[in-house]
Amino acid sequence: MLRTTIDLDAIAHNTRTLRAHTQAELMCVVKADAYNHGVERCVPVMEANGADAFGVATFAEARRVRELTSKPVLAWLWDVSEAIPEGIDVGVPSIAHMHALIDAPSVPTVYLTVDTGMHRSGIDESSWEEAFALAAQAEKQGEFSVAGLMTHLSCADDPADPYTDLQAAAFRRAIAQARLAGLDVPRNHAANSPATWTRPDLHFDMVRPGVSLYGLEPVDGLDHALRPAMVWSAPVVTVKPMRKGEATGYSRAWEAPDDGFSAVIPAGYADGVQRSWEGALEVTIGGRTYPQVGRVSMDQIVIWLGDNHGGVAPGDEAVLFGDAAALARRAGTIGYEVLCAPRGRTARTYTGEGK
């Protein structure tokens, strides 16, 4: 009953738009099942429209993407106890991870992850000298190959924040120090989606956009003619009259302001409709927009049709969102979370040919 409809032509358009925006190599980030759009269909489309490599979080995700492309696949979130998969490029966020790679039976290509100020993952600057010396020795002994350095920017979605400049300076120090230690580091990358659009000076050798591939502008106020690729919809289950003052749902949290009609949509928190969206979710049916009212339940939400001048009837398609960014603004969250929300009983369908 619930479905996300993914527009592959939008994915293709967004990939080409990013490709045209930079002279650096383009790593398309497809973690979390391509931000909930489906790697099996998205990866071939991105590859056909300019992707040079793919990035994911985990080894499990990397193995799945590896089956879909011959392009490099990088995974950067892993535990030192995990077996290192062959044919996957590996992000190295600590010296302990580096030792795990040295002991691995394969000879992986690695990117050393340096912490330039996000303080989340990566080798601290105080340990760069030790880490780069160890990496240079391991590379010389044929234990792994260092393709470059990588880092992550914490404030690039706010181009006015000077912290990005501090991180950029730290990353340049890391590159210089790595080369002094004997590492070539020919392919370095820091730019996420917002930095790809706003900081061409930080493109380095490769950019690493994610959410823009799926049609979201990562910086408020910018417009790069991206096309949202996901629509989440469900059929109307019931339409019923309500009298003024009657309440719907748990806790009687909402009362009808006038005589009118309500409708039930079969989507609840088990399917990804967040309870935090209560009062912010607007459902579109036949070109008209209706507010979600009352509590979000496990399996369903209620919308208020007013006098139902639009003639909403059971079976009509109700769009929960087609513009994830708009819902995010109303709900006080981010478009990333909205895109990742549909789950549970949601089926995925595709339109377009990825051209």
Side-chain angles (χ1 to χ4, degrees):
M1 297 170 71
L2 270 166
R3 70 173 181 272
T4 52
T5 302
I6 311 300
D7 183 353
L8 294 176
D9 291 342
I11 298 289
H13 166 81
N14 299 334
T15 306
R16 290 195 302 269
T17 301
L18 283 157
R19 173 67 282 165
H21 190 73
T22 181
Q23 298 300 310
E25 291 186 55
L26 176 64
M27 176 181 288
C28 292
V29 178
V30 292
K31 62 183 180 178
D33 198 17
Y35 287 49
N36 206 23
H37 290 66
V39 291
E40 280 80 7
R41 300 297 295 274
C42 290
V43 165
V45 170
M46 292 174 184
E47 182 170 349
N49 287 277
D52 297 300
F54 294 93
V56 297
T58 68
F59 285 160
E61 292 175 332
R63 292 185 183 97
R64 189 175 172 192
V65 174
R66 176 77 290 156
E67 296 177 353
L68 304 170
T69 179
S70 61
K71 300 285 188 180
V73 179
L74 170 65
W76 51 71
L77 189 63
W78 55 285
D79 182 88
V80 293
S81 65
E82 291 185 74
I84 310 302
E86 292 191 27
I88 302 297
D89 294 352
V90 182
V92 184
S94 75
I95 291 175
H97 285 78
M98 197 180 305
H99 282 294
L101 288 167
I102 289 172
D103 295 335
S106 60
V107 182
T109 296
V110 306
Y111 288 85
L112 305 181
T113 305
V114 292
D115 188 346
T116 57
M118 193 168 186
H119 303 295
R120 188 178 67 175
S121 183
I123 302 166
D124 293 332
E125 186 163 3
S126 60
S127 299
W128 286 355
E129 182 177 359
E130 177 187 358
F132 297 154
L134 179 60
Q137 180 183 10
E139 186 171 58
K140 184 176 181 179
Q141 294 175 347
E143 291 166 324
F144 55 67
S145 173
V146 180
L149 306 185
M150 62 184 288
T151 195
H152 200 50
L153 303 173
S154 64
C155 302
D157 57 340
D158 180 3
D161 194 321
Y163 197 69
T164 299
D165 291 329
L166 296 178
Q167 286 197 260
F171 193 51
R172 292 188 178 99
R173 288 197 303 273
I175 294 170
Q177 191 168 335
R179 287 173 175 160
L180 283 174
L183 296 168
D184 290 336
V185 289
R187 189 176 290 110
N188 305 296
H189 45 97
N192 49 10
S193 284
T196 298
W197 296 123
T198 65
R199 296 296 301 262
D201 59 315
L202 302 186
H203 286 191
F204 294 98
D205 309 289
M206 179 181 282
V207 295
R208 205 174 63 235
V211 77
S212 286
L213 292 161
Y214 311 100
L216 265 66
E217 287 284 358
V219 179
D220 288 342
L222 296 188
D223 184 0
H224 293 95
L226 300 175
R227 291 162 50 183
M230 180 187 290
V231 174
W232 195 18
S233 62
V236 174
V237 173
T238 63
V239 174
K240 60 188 300 179
M242 290 185 68
R243 292 189 179 276
K244 180 179 179 177
E246 291 183 333
T248 184
Y250 293 117
S251 303
R252 302 180 68 250
W254 180 88
E255 296 180 354
D258 296 290
D259 291 352
F261 297 85
S262 65
V264 169
I265 310 299
Y269 54 77
D271 307 293
V273 181
Q274 310 296 315
R275 283 176 63 94
S276 60
W277 296 357
E278 289 178 4
L281 181 59
E282 296 177 348
V283 174
T284 302
I285 305 171
R288 295 173 181 263
T289 301
Y290 303 95
Q292 174 267 324
V293 295
R295 295 285 186 239
V296 173
S297 303
M298 183 180 292
D299 313 303
Q300 55 195 290
I301 56 173
V302 176
I303 62 173
W304 177 241
L305 304 176
D307 61 8
N308 197 18
H309 185 71
V312 173
D316 288 349
E317 181 183 51
V319 175
L320 282 77
F321 72 78
D323 183 349
L327 172 56
R329 285 191 294 272
R330 294 193 302 270
T333 184
I334 57 175
Y336 301 70
E337 182 183 66
V338 174
L339 289 180
C340 291
R343 59 179 184 269
R345 291 154 289 198
T346 301
R348 189 182 291 148
T349 62
Y350 292 89
T351 62
E353 298 179 357
K355 296 181 180 179

